């Protein structure tokens, strides 16, 4: 059973400047809830209860969000506004939140390695909170789908989706041998390839389950594309020496790290959750 979930949230979010000049990208709200809270709720729905954040300078708002605000709560106690804090208060009361810092922005692989001190020696999930993943009512959350697969196969898993060939350059892309419907054993992985060098159009999105041996592998991984330590490079090594699975998840993903995806997600959440009183 996967209990721990790591959120690398140290990135600068430059695509959202000036909004992200003094505020973390992960605190941008979809309607009235910050992106990072959707990620935590997805993980809770997968049975996880221990959340670790790799933050950076200017990201204190995330730690404050997952902490009690006594003044505010006292102020609105007994008013109609109290219930607006119910969802976050319940997360705070029922889960554990820890924080560490990535001092230098050396890439996603490096950010994950910085989380080792909080994760320790057990398998864990990774959520990039700027990917919002939604599922039909009653379906397993994307992390729950992956967690079940982990229980069956006991190896690292990346979530993938098919993207148009002219978009593969934005993603890590896999090649794999089909194992069963929607599941591949990874044989190759390339970070942000040009379309003519991409091994497929299966793009890795921001959901991973990683086995803890990944930390030593990352430590031995040289900086790759853009001079950053890429998790894709570490996962390829893990795939060659052992097993990494790629899973075409059931559900829909919005790229909230881009303006278009963020607006699309906002409209989706407004229509499907907020207007139906589910937010
Ligand atoms: P992105 O590529 O989306 O970068 O990182 P970014 O800085 O957040 O956004 P833009 O491109 O400047 O607008 C993917 C994820 O990896 C984390 C980011 O916080 C984001 O969740 N990350 C990336 C780190 O935590 N540390 C890094 O060194 C790099």
């Amino acid at each position: 059973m996967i209990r721990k979930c790591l959120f690398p949230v140290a990135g600068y979010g430059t695509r959202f400047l000036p909004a992200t000049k003094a505020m973390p990208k992960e605190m941008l709200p979809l309607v009235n809830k910050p992106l990072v809270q959707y990620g935590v709720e997805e993980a809770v729905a997968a049975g996880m209860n221990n959340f670790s954040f790799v933050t950076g300078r200017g990201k204190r708002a995330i730690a404050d969000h997952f902490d009690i605000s006594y003044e505010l709560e006292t102020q609105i106690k007994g008013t109609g506004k109290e219930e607006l804090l119910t969802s976050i208060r319940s997360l705070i009361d029922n889960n554990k939140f820890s924080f560490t810092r990535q001092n230098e922005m050396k890439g996603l692989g490096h950010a994950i390695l910085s989380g080792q001190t909080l994760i320790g020696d057990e398998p864990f999930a990774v959520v990039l909170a700027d990917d919002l993943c939604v599922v039909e009512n009653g379906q397993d959350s994307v992390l729950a789908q992956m967690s079940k697969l982990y229980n069956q196969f006991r190896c690292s898993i990346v979530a993938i989706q098919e993207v148009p060939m002219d978009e593969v350059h934005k993603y890590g892309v896999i090649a794999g041998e089909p194992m069963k419907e929607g599941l591949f054993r990874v044989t190759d992985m390339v970070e942000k390839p040009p379309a003519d060098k991409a091994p497929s159009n299966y793009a890795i999105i921001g959901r991973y389950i990683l086995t803890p041996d990944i930390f030593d592998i990352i430590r031995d991984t040289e900086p790759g594309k853009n001079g950053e330590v890429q998790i894709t490079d570490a996962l390829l090594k893990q795939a060659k020496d052992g097993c990494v699975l790629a899973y075409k998840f059931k559900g829909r993903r919005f790229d909230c790290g881009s303006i278009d995806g963020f607006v699309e997600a906002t409209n989706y959440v407004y229509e499907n959750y907020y207007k139906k009183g589910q937010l």
Side-chain angles (χ1 to χ4, degrees):
M1 182 84 183
I2 308 269
R3 297 183 308 121
K4 292 190 174 177
C5 184
L6 182 69
F7 288 77
V9 291
Y12 291 125
T14 51
R15 283 170 286 174
F16 278 90
L17 285 170
T20 47
K21 183 165 175 276
M23 182 185 73
K25 165 170 84 171
E26 296 78 11
M27 288 302 292
L28 289 170
L30 294 178
V31 187
N32 62 350
K33 204 193 279 181
L35 275 174
V36 66
Q37 191 177 330
Y38 289 92
V40 169
E41 286 174 353
E42 180 189 328
V44 167
M48 298 169 200
N49 59 9
N50 190 308
F51 300 101
S52 303
F53 296 79
V54 177
T55 71
R57 285 174 289 279
K59 299 274 184 171
R60 208 162 284 165
I62 298 175
D64 287 342
H65 187 68
F66 293 105
D67 194 1
I68 295 168
S69 171
Y70 286 106
E71 299 85 346
L72 180 63
E73 290 184 27
T74 309
Q75 185 79 26
I76 64 175
K77 202 171 174 60
T79 75
K81 290 185 182 148
E82 204 174 351
E83 67 181 69
L84 294 174
L85 287 181
T86 310
S87 67
I88 182 65
R89 188 58 208 247
S90 145
L91 287 180
I92 293 168
D93 289 345
N94 296 305
N95 300 282
K96 192 161 167 27
F97 297 88
S98 326
F99 299 83
T100 187
R101 279 199 179 197
Q102 184 188 19
N103 306 105
E104 287 179 280
M105 228 47 63
K106 288 194 198 158
L108 180 57
H110 179 260
I112 291 173
L113 181 58
S114 307
Q116 182 178 20
T117 170
L118 301 175
I119 297 294
D121 191 27
E122 61 180 284
F124 61 104
V126 174
V127 168
L128 304 188
D130 47 8
D131 273 340
L132 174 76
C133 290
V134 299
V135 292
E136 301 276 317
N137 259 349
Q139 233 181 19
D140 280 347
S141 74
V142 172
L143 277 182
Q145 295 168 37
M146 295 173 74
S147 192
K148 280 187 182 166
L149 276 176
Y150 174 80
N151 290 341
Q152 200 181 342
F153 294 98
R154 305 270 155 188
C155 51
S156 290
I157 307 170
V158 296
I160 50 166
Q161 81 172 103
E162 286 190 75
V163 298
M165 270 329 259
D166 61 359
E167 286 187 23
V168 288
H169 66 277
K170 299 183 196 163
Y171 299 91
V173 177
I174 67 118
E177 291 160 1
M179 288 174 68
K180 61 177 188 175
E181 174 74 29
L183 191 66
F184 301 84
R185 190 186 178 108
V186 171
T187 52
D188 197 10
M189 249 184 204
V190 192
E191 183 62 25
K192 301 191 173 73
D196 59 343
K197 298 252 163 60
S200 74
N201 67 336
Y202 283 122
I204 302 172
I205 63 124
R207 299 288 182 277
Y208 307 75
I209 302 262
L210 301 176
T211 50
D213 54 312
I214 198 73
F215 293 125
D216 280 340
I217 302 175
I218 299 174
R219 211 171 274 114
D220 288 340
T221 301
E222 294 293 325
K225 193 108 185 174
N226 303 329
E228 296 183 335
V229 179
Q230 300 290 352
I231 187 64
T232 321
D233 294 338
L235 280 166
L236 179 57
K237 275 193 220 166
Q238 200 179 36
K240 296 219 152 127
D241 295 345
C243 173
V244 174
L245 303 180
Y247 171 58
K248 203 172 149 200
F249 63 93
K250 295 188 182 71
R252 186 167 167 195
R253 166 246 177 195
F254 295 90
D255 173 14
C256 299
S258 74
I259 301 280
D260 288 343
F262 183 83
V263 173
E264 235 181 281
T266 300
N267 290 329
Y268 180 92
V269 168
Y270 179 69
E271 291 297 333
N272 292 281
Y273 301 157
Y274 184 76
K275 273 176 121 179
K276 294 178 183 166
Q278 292 174 9
L279 203 60

